Amino acid sequence: MTSNNFQYQVEQFADLRILRYKIPGFDDLDLQKKLYIYYLSEAALAGRDIIWDQHNEYNLWLRDSLDTLYHSVDKADDEYTYLEIYYKRVLFSNGMHHHYSTDKLKPQFSTNKLKVWVDKLSVQQLEHLKCRSHTELFEKLEQLLFNEQEMAKRVCQDDDKDLILHSANNFYKNLTQNEAENFYNHLIDKNDAQPVSHGLNSRLIKHENEIKEEVWCIGGKYSEAIERIVHYLNKAAEVCENQQQQRVIKLLCDFYTNGDLKLFDDYSIEWLNEQSGEVDFINGFIEVYGDSLGFKATWESLVNITDKEETAKASVISANAQWFEDHSPVMNNHRKEQVSGVSMKVINAIMLGGDCYPASPLGINLPNAQWIREVHGSKSVSLNNISEAYEMASLTSGVIEEFACTKEEIELHKKYGALADHLHTHLHECVGHGSGKLEPGVRSDDLKAYGSVIEEARADLFGLYFMADEKMMELNLVPNMDVAKAQYNAYIRNGLMVQLARISKGSNIEQAHMRNRQLIAKWVLEHGQAEEVIKQHSRNNKTYYQINDYEKLRQLFGQLLREVQRIKSQGDYEAARSLVETYGVKVDKPLHEEVLNRYANLHVAPYSGFVNPKLEPVLDQQGNIMNVCVSYDEGFLEQMLRYNTEYHLEVNHKSRP
């Protein structure tokens, strides 16, 4: 797929489609800004091995083992293609578990073939992989790759299981869910009005009956990677755009130096206050979706630049944040009396790193600490060039034509689908996540494993409710209310059917965003059933859903938003558990099988991710950087293999099975 001869799609394999994104206007930036971007981008890539190790303690060893096999096996081998695809899937997922479902990836090559490949490796290759014999290496790989019961899920969300013992991530070691929750319950002071996010930047381990934290900082775990991140952040501080950016970087480096979570809060507040620079970045231990208990944050980074034209449009929403809060259908005592510090920017991604790579978010709202959001506000961004890449690559996918109920629905989507999706993202990130408040004594982590789903449902519902408000036309954000209809159609279609193509047959929904979308769609389907607000149709043995009453559907979104906000504001764990388990987890098996078959016939990969642009400094004879050039011709495996070499840190290579 091309636009002005730009190649958006790179390749497709397994259930993955690899895309690339363009950085508009990069060549026109001055040298200082290019240098600032370059150093921030190096810091974004320097922590790559952290996310691999966080996902599983054996991932880095496995990556080296697969890399060794990949470069050793004869390409004419009848199962070589299976090895290459498996290796690429592992590279995409930053480890041996699927990036979205978190199920362990299954190789298509056989154990017999694996043994043949291993037996041909040299002694030097065995030594590199810390193995004393071919048999030892084969047995370790066989256990990791083919034992389906061993480390089956990276993130277990099953309500009837110990979430730590059944999660294969590397956030906890030698302890149970109960022990971990008790450890942090003793640390948390519910009367603290400005609580730090305990556990955010550490691994919790039990050794000889003593439970302690391994902090991720210089001198602690991941020290070598963090030292390299700090080095490039300090270089960036020398060429940044303003003094506030310098202050932000210094606080982040101080936090990385000693791991003090109070410093992370200080950094987050100063990051919020930096609004004037054109270039911005995220770098750190931020999102807790990868931890079933919601304490541990995965490492991520994103370097971006403001899209001024689109930001001018989106800033209308942040400028009216108080209006949205005042007109929210939630309980009066769950609204903020005064909304402050809410900002909205549309940005273009420049470099994705850690948990933002290769699969990228479409929007971000930070910081996550609830007290900071309530006192200081939040910063919301929408990634315009990432959304554009998705749009350009999907124009001819056929998914809408396959799952939309009527021709009118298809036409409405083609006319307003992109605008509707952008607007919903803006509302979700800016005023959705930034809305509401907790009752006294309640903490955002009171909902435990269900907190992430409830928060995403809350933001989605906020956006859905206000999509269909006449305020959208008053603010000149939409030409007419058909935009809301297009988004309502898409949301129900995706929540009830299309997203099911992303999970394997027989599985439940595990990922927080998918649970949130099904929860909302199933809840409004059920609660509007008596009035047939949404009608299920069957045509040619295919299922379709048609919205009959958009206004009543909006009212249902508002009712559910009120309840979801109540659950969060009151920390009602049991209500959160009931809502998520009832509507968000279980899959209609016959419908799921139907969706899988229909989607398979389209030959479209259900998941997408990106290769980064390549930034290369141009040096003069003295070694000074005279320019930074951007190129877009790097392939997926080419980029991954380069990253393996340039950003591989031996200190993170200790764990092996």
Side-chain angles (χ1 to χ4, degrees):
M1 189 64 59
T2 66
S3 175
N4 298 323
N5 298 319
F6 185 79
Q7 298 291 325
Y8 283 95
Q9 184 151 325
V10 179
E11 65 171 306
Q12 181 171 305
F13 57 89
D15 59 352
L16 303 169
R17 181 176 54 169
I18 308 300
L19 310 176
R20 56 171 58 95
Y21 57 93
K22 192 173 185 178
I23 311 170
F26 182 85
D27 292 338
D28 298 328
L29 299 175
D30 61 51
L31 178 57
Q32 182 174 333
K33 202 161 289 183
K34 286 181 177 179
L35 285 173
Y36 185 42
I37 288 168
Y38 173 71
Y39 291 131
L40 289 176
S41 296
E42 286 299 298
L45 297 173
R48 178 176 184 247
D49 279 3
I50 294 176
I51 187 68
W52 279 78
D53 190 70
Q54 286 182 313
H55 279 173
N56 184 274
E57 64 178 316
Y58 304 131
N59 271 335
L60 287 163
W61 180 85
L62 176 62
R63 189 180 75 194
D64 276 3
S65 299
L66 291 172
D67 188 72
T68 299
L69 290 173
Y70 174 75
H71 286 98
S72 301
V73 173
D74 189 337
K75 289 181 172 56
D77 189 292
D78 60 347
E79 294 193 33
Y80 170 82
T81 300
Y82 296 148
L83 171 64
E84 182 179 53
I85 290 174
Y86 178 72
Y87 185 30
K88 286 159 74 171
R89 295 186 76 193
V90 170
L91 289 168
F92 186 96
S93 295
N94 296 312
M96 71 176 88
H97 296 89
H98 194 279
H99 76 288
Y100 210 83
S101 71
T102 79
D103 293 326
K104 188 157 76 168
L105 298 168
K106 298 176 182 178
Q108 291 177 280
F109 55 81
S110 64
T111 55
N112 290 338
K113 184 63 72 170
L114 175 63
K115 190 171 190 312
V116 170
W117 293 337
V118 167
D119 286 345
K120 290 182 179 179
L121 297 180
S122 68
V123 173
Q124 291 77 14
Q125 288 172 316
L126 292 177
E127 290 176 349
H128 170 69
L129 298 174
K130 308 295 190 294
C131 287
R132 291 161 294 186
S133 68
H134 294 90
T135 299
E136 181 184 2
L137 176 58
F138 169 72
E139 288 178 351
K140 288 174 179 177
L141 285 172
E142 183 184 38
Q143 179 75 2
L144 278 182
L145 273 56
F146 293 98
N147 186 336
E148 295 184 8
Q149 273 64 53
E150 184 76 13
M151 296 182 288
K153 295 281 295 185
R154 175 164 58 82
V155 185
C156 175
Q157 300 281 9
D158 293 350
D159 188 45
D160 58 346
K161 293 180 179 178
D162 185 300
L163 300 183
I164 288 182
L165 295 181
H166 288 86
S167 293
N169 57 41
N170 196 22
F171 294 134
Y172 305 92
K173 186 75 172 177
N174 301 327
L175 72 168
T176 65
Q177 177 182 346
N178 187 57
E179 288 174 317
E181 289 178 338
N182 287 338
F183 179 88
Y184 287 112
N185 285 339
H186 283 96
L187 290 181
I188 293 170
D189 179 4
K190 291 210 169 188
N191 296 317
D192 187 352
Q194 298 183 358
V196 300
S197 302
H198 287 291
L200 195 72
N201 64 330
S202 66
R203 181 172 79 151
L204 192 65
I205 63 171
K206 184 169 75 172
H207 180 66
E208 295 181 351
N209 293 321
E210 180 185 3
I211 299 176
K212 62 180 182 179
E213 290 182 309
E214 284 183 341
V215 179
W216 305 325
C217 63
I218 291 179
K221 193 170 177 63
Y222 306 137
S223 181
E224 186 182 346
I226 294 173
E227 287 170 33
R228 193 168 177 180
I229 293 168
V230 168
H231 167 76
Y232 283 113
L233 287 176
N234 283 325
K235 296 282 284 184
E238 296 173 3
V239 291
C240 61
E241 298 172 278
N242 56 57
Q243 289 186 338
Q244 182 62 18
Q245 288 176 340
Q246 280 189 329
R247 189 175 296 114
V248 168
I249 292 173
K250 182 183 183 304
L251 279 168
L252 179 57
C253 290
D254 288 346
F255 163 68
Y256 272 140
T257 299
N258 60 27
D260 184 349
L261 285 166
K262 176 62 170 63
L263 282 173
F264 183 71
D265 286 347
D266 294 341
Y267 149 76
S268 298
I269 294 167
E270 293 301 327
W271 177 76
L272 275 175
N273 293 332
E274 203 297 286
Q275 300 285 347
S276 61
E278 190 176 358
V279 177
D280 202 356
F281 74 99
I282 295 163
N283 190 300
F285 304 103
I286 298 171
E287 299 292 355
V288 297
Y289 298 113
D291 175 17
S292 299
L293 302 188
F295 290 112
K296 310 298 178 186
T298 48
W299 186 86
E300 66 179 68
S301 189
L302 166 67
V303 184
N304 60 81
I305 191 165
T306 302
D307 186 316
K308 294 178 181 178
E309 183 178 344
E310 289 299 319
T311 295
K313 300 175 186 177
S315 61
V316 172
I317 294 174
S318 58
N320 287 273
Q322 189 66 59
W323 183 92
F324 288 107
E325 188 75 2
D326 293 343
H327 291 81
S328 172
V330 304
M331 296 167 64
N332 290 336
N333 62 325
H334 295 159
R335 296 193 192 110
K336 289 180 179 177
E337 292 84 1
Q338 184 173 359
V339 178
S340 62
V342 173
S343 66
M344 181 74 207
K345 282 186 178 181
V346 178
I347 62 172
N348 289 313
I350 295 175
M351 192 62 63
L352 308 171
D355 217 6
C356 291
Y357 172 83
S360 168
L362 290 174
I364 296 171
N365 181 280
L366 292 172
N368 287 327
Q370 187 66 29
W371 75 267
I372 296 180
R373 301 170 75 89
E374 291 181 3
V375 175
H376 298 279
S378 60
K379 189 187 286 188
S380 300
V381 297
S382 175
L383 284 70
N384 192 53
N385 59 343
I386 296 294
S387 295
E388 179 186 271
Y390 279 124
E391 281 180 38
M392 294 303 298
S394 63
L395 285 178
T396 58
S397 68
V399 173
I400 303 304
E401 289 82 354
E402 175 61 37
F403 290 97
C405 185
T406 64
K407 290 182 179 179
E408 291 75 19
E409 186 178 331
I410 295 170
E411 291 171 1
L412 204 61
H413 179 85
K414 289 187 174 181
K415 190 173 184 179
Y416 295 121
L419 173 61
D421 188 56
H422 281 306
L423 181 57
H424 183 253
T425 299
H426 295 342
L427 290 166
H428 171 112
E429 298 293 348
C430 184
V431 285
H433 281 307
S435 68
K437 68 176 183 179
L438 304 182
E439 294 186 5
V442 176
R443 291 174 54 98
S444 57
D445 55 14
D446 285 345
L447 301 182
K448 301 177 183 177
Y450 300 104
S452 295
V453 182
I454 292 297
E455 176 57 23
E456 290 304 321
R458 193 177 72 90
D460 259 5
L461 286 162
F462 201 96
L464 290 167
Y465 180 77
F466 282 109
M467 282 284 302
D469 197 291
E470 291 185 359
K471 187 74 171 179
M472 297 297 102
M473 291 184 64
E474 180 187 324
L475 296 175
N476 293 317
L477 292 170
V478 299
N480 55 62
M481 299 316 294
D482 281 352
V483 177
K485 292 180 179 180
Q487 183 62 18
Y488 281 16
N489 291 337
Y491 200 91
I492 297 302
R493 188 170 61 239
N494 187 41
L496 294 177
M497 289 194 298
V498 178
Q499 72 168 6
L500 297 181
R502 294 183 164 198
I503 57 177
S504 58
K505 185 178 177 180
S507 298
N508 288 328
I509 298 177
E510 297 284 349
Q511 207 273 344
H513 294 82
M514 287 182 68
R515 284 186 168 189
N516 138 55
R517 289 190 287 265
Q518 178 173 285
L519 184 161
I520 292 172
K522 277 199 167 183
W523 191 94
V524 295
L525 176 66
E526 178 183 298
H527 286 75
Q529 195 168 12
E531 297 180 275
E532 292 191 339
V533 175
I534 303 171
K535 178 71 174 177
Q536 179 178 323
H537 296 278
S538 181
R539 189 167 65 242
N540 299 324
N541 295 318
K542 293 181 179 181
T543 302
Y544 300 92
Y545 291 93
Q546 183 175 17
I547 299 171
N548 294 322
D549 193 324
Y550 290 94
E551 179 53 38
K552 287 182 179 177
L553 179 56
R554 186 195 182 212
Q555 293 171 15
L556 289 171
F557 286 142
Q559 291 172 27
L560 183 54
L561 173 58
R562 182 183 179 91
E563 172 60 9
V564 167
Q565 181 65 63
R566 183 200 67 77
I567 288 171
K568 183 176 177 68
S569 294
Q570 296 179 351
D572 190 340
Y573 172 82
E574 288 302 324
R577 175 180 175 276
S578 176
L579 189 63
V580 175
E581 293 292 337
T582 301
Y583 296 101
V585 177
K586 303 297 182 184
V587 174
D588 181 323
K589 292 183 179 179
L591 178 61
H592 186 199
E593 184 173 3
E594 176 195 323
V595 170
L596 289 174
N597 291 333
R598 291 166 69 181
Y599 208 95
N601 290 332
L602 298 173
H603 305 290
V604 177
Y607 301 99
S608 296
F610 294 87
V611 292
N612 281 318
K614 187 176 183 180
L615 301 183
E616 295 183 278
V618 179
L619 308 180
D620 63 16
Q621 292 182 345
Q622 288 72 42
N624 300 310
I625 300 178
M626 302 300 295
N627 194 10
V628 179
C629 295
V630 60
S631 61
Y632 303 99
D633 55 357
E634 197 166 31
F636 173 72
L637 195 53
E638 180 185 2
Q639 182 164 101
M640 287 292 184
L641 295 180
R642 178 169 67 86
Y643 285 1
N644 283 356
T645 300
E646 294 182 7
Y647 305 102
H648 182 49
L649 302 169
E650 285 299 323
V651 72
N652 290 332
H653 187 229
K654 294 177 181 177
S655 292
R656 60 188 182 90

